[in-house]
Amino acid sequence: MSEEMRIIETKPLDSVKHCLVGMPDTGLTGMIAVSQIVESMKLPEIGHIESDLLPPVMVIHDGEPKVPIRFFGDSNLTVLTSETPIGTRAIAPLSRSLTAWAVKKKVEMLVSVSGIAVQNRMEIKIPQVFGVATNEKGKNRLKEAEIQVLEEGFMVGPHAMIVRESLSKGLTNLVILAQSHSGYPDPGAAASAINAVNKLLNLEVDVKKLLEDAEGIRVKTRELMQRTTKSLEGMAKTQEQELPAMYG
Amino acid sequence: MFKSFDDLEREIDETFEELMSSRPMWDSSTGRLEPLTQVIESLDKIVVTMDLPLVRKEDIHLTIEEKYLNLEAPLARCVKYERWGAHSDCEFSSFYKTVNLPTRVNPDEAKAKFLNGVLSVELHKTVKGKKINVE
């Protein structure tokens, strides 16, 4: 495991069946989606990630200081999320540590949730969801869950590095990408992503409350979105919206 | 090399924007929040979009001058932040933002639409690129 990133398990688990990851990224889609899943399933906090490469930030909840990148869940489903954007320097070490941890915990499926920016998002009522898988097993799961495979494009950010590390370690990693605003928090995209995750992992997370609270969430996540947008600027994130060079 | 007045003006605007972006996106003394904003510039147009959750179309007050766009919009319900930091309860009741435009526009040709809580304002540049023949 990378020495630069330390996964601290406050409630250690012998094995984990499924692991879900949602970091601040395009439209905060992944972070909003997995936070909703944690809240809805009342998943307990079971650990966190420490590193000198992460911003010197602690968050305080109910008077208790917390590390911003935390694990929630149990041996059936573990969720990793962050309350602060992951800077460029931390992404590769974080992905290495997370995938090494997933191999050690015999994770059957590592699922990253994120958004994929579309220019006409304000005209789309129900965002479509696309999937990327690192192996045949993952592709079959996408097919069974009726999630359309992303045929061409770029991925930039934490989920892209997790794919790279999963490929090298032979880990089944799926990326769920919901059509999203690029620079505005998008609970609607998060709801579409949750519906896809429900099918993929046989969960029953209701998105009704998320959609009812959508406008309040958009107001209260403006600053995190702004900070995330700045963080993504250093990662050539706009490449995701470029037309691919069709020479492959 | 000398910079044109427009270039200098643009640099000052960018520096100002950078300074403004490092300050909080709220002001508890006025109860105003700053909306997330994107400015996209093309050859002859500038499109400004703003995320305006909890805002009704009929409440949006938008004014456009040659170099500025000004928005004020009350929220349909107040947003409260309880137990946050060293502040006691904070309550916000409107969005407010002045956008410095990267170049001059014609306010009379501006078009705005509001869809799913996102405002989009299309502005036409006053000085457009001159078309030249390619030999």
Side-chain angles (χ1 to χ4, degrees):
Chain A
M1 194 175 290
S2 165
E3 282 300 307
E4 294 166 307
M5 290 279 162
R6 297 173 299 280
I7 294 179
I8 312 294
E9 295 179 64
T10 47
K11 289 177 187 164
L13 300 169
D14 292 334
S15 64
V16 172
K17 191 176 180 193
H18 296 140
C19 179
L20 205 52
V21 182
M23 297 294 181
D25 197 344
T26 308
L28 301 180
T29 300
M31 196 213 77
I32 295 171
V34 303
S35 299
Q36 184 65 25
I37 290 170
V38 168
E39 196 184 312
S40 166
M41 295 178 73
K42 297 185 171 55
L43 298 176
E45 190 180 322
I46 57 166
H48 59 263
I49 294 183
E50 289 177 358
S51 173
D52 292 344
L53 296 173
L54 295 169
V57 175
M58 291 291 283
V59 287
I60 300 163
H61 292 305
D62 292 326
E64 252 189 81
K66 304 259 184 197
V67 175
I69 308 180
R70 301 197 297 282
F71 284 95
F72 298 84
D74 50 39
S75 57
N76 192 47
L77 175 67
T78 296
V79 177
L80 177 66
T81 188
S82 173
E83 293 186 63
T84 190
I86 314 295
T88 313
R89 280 176 63 221
I91 287 178
L94 176 69
S95 306
R96 276 195 295 275
S97 292
L98 176 67
T99 48
W101 174 87
V103 169
K104 194 174 137 194
K105 298 291 172 184
K106 305 175 201 76
V107 170
E108 289 176 23
M109 204 157 38
L110 177 62
V111 182
S112 305
V113 184
S114 188
I116 184 162
V118 282
Q119 286 179 352
N120 63 337
R121 172 63 184 98
M122 65 191 280
E123 283 143 29
I124 296 171
K125 204 167 179 189
I126 299 172
Q128 204 180 336
V129 173
F130 298 89
V132 176
T134 54
N135 56 24
E136 279 308 309
K137 183 187 159 194
K139 280 180 194 158
N140 289 335
R141 285 297 296 128
L142 287 177
K143 201 174 166 187
E144 284 161 14
E146 296 169 331
I147 297 166
Q148 193 179 328
V149 170
L150 185 73
E151 297 285 351
E152 298 284 343
F154 293 104
M155 286 195 296
V156 179
H159 54 288
M161 282 297 96
I162 293 170
V163 164
R164 190 179 80 178
E165 291 300 321
S166 296
L167 281 171
S168 75
K169 293 181 175 81
L171 197 65
T172 303
N173 174 212
L174 275 68
V175 185
I176 299 302
L177 297 160
Q179 289 179 321
S180 166
H181 284 296
S182 63
Y184 301 146
D186 201 333
S192 285
I194 291 173
N195 286 332
V197 171
N198 277 340
K199 285 188 200 169
L200 206 57
L201 304 182
N202 298 317
L203 305 179
E204 288 176 350
V205 175
D206 193 355
V207 296
K208 195 171 161 238
K209 190 172 180 301
L210 172 66
L211 292 171
E212 280 171 2
D213 296 344
E215 291 195 275
I217 293 170
R218 280 163 60 189
V219 172
K220 291 190 170 178
T221 51
R222 288 169 310 118
E223 268 132 332
L224 177 60
M225 185 74 254
Q226 173 146 297
R227 191 167 288 282
T228 302
T229 302
K230 278 194 181 153
S231 169
L232 294 173
E233 278 169 7
M235 295 178 206
K237 184 71 178 172
T238 51
Q239 191 169 350
E240 279 187 348
Q241 294 183 62
E242 287 176 14
L243 296 171
M246 303 289 276
Y247 283 106
Chain B
M1 190 188 285
F2 291 103
K3 286 180 177 166
S4 70
F5 179 72
D6 277 352
D7 284 344
L8 272 173
E9 197 178 11
R10 187 185 283 242
E11 269 182 32
I12 291 165
D13 284 348
E14 281 171 2
T15 309
F16 181 72
E17 284 290 330
E18 213 174 301
L19 282 170
M20 295 297 272
S21 70
S22 59
R23 64 176 172 75
M25 295 175 74
W26 50 271
D27 182 349
S28 59
S29 65
T30 57
R32 285 169 168 175
L33 294 169
E34 185 184 325
L36 287 165
T37 305
Q38 290 180 323
V39 180
I40 300 156
E41 188 178 358
S42 66
L43 194 65
D44 57 350
K45 278 190 295 193
I46 295 168
V47 177
V48 179
T49 67
M50 285 186 194
D51 194 30
L52 300 174
L54 295 175
V55 166
R56 287 187 295 242
K57 186 173 86 171
E58 56 272 26
D59 294 334
I60 296 172
H61 185 71
L62 185 67
T63 52
I64 295 154
E65 292 175 44
E66 274 197 327
K67 278 284 283 169
Y68 302 97
L69 177 152
N70 194 276
L71 170 116
E72 191 158 12
L75 302 176
R77 61 174 164 83
C78 286
V79 174
K80 268 184 118 172
Y81 288 77
E82 289 162 353
R83 306 180 302 155
W84 178 245
H87 306 272
S88 52
D89 294 357
C90 289
E91 196 168 295
F92 298 96
S93 56
S94 67
F95 277 120
Y96 182 85
K97 173 101 177 171
T98 297
V99 180
N100 294 316
L101 300 170
T103 183
R104 286 172 207 287
V105 298
N106 183 350
D108 296 330
E109 289 180 28
K111 283 182 199 161
K113 63 177 175 180
F114 188 61
L115 216 54
N116 298 322
V118 178
L119 175 72
S120 174
V121 187
E122 192 179 289
L123 303 154
H124 292 262
K125 291 181 181 176
T126 314
V127 183
K128 291 174 184 159
K130 189 185 172 191
K131 189 174 176 4
I132 60 157
N133 290 323
V134 179
E135 291 173 16

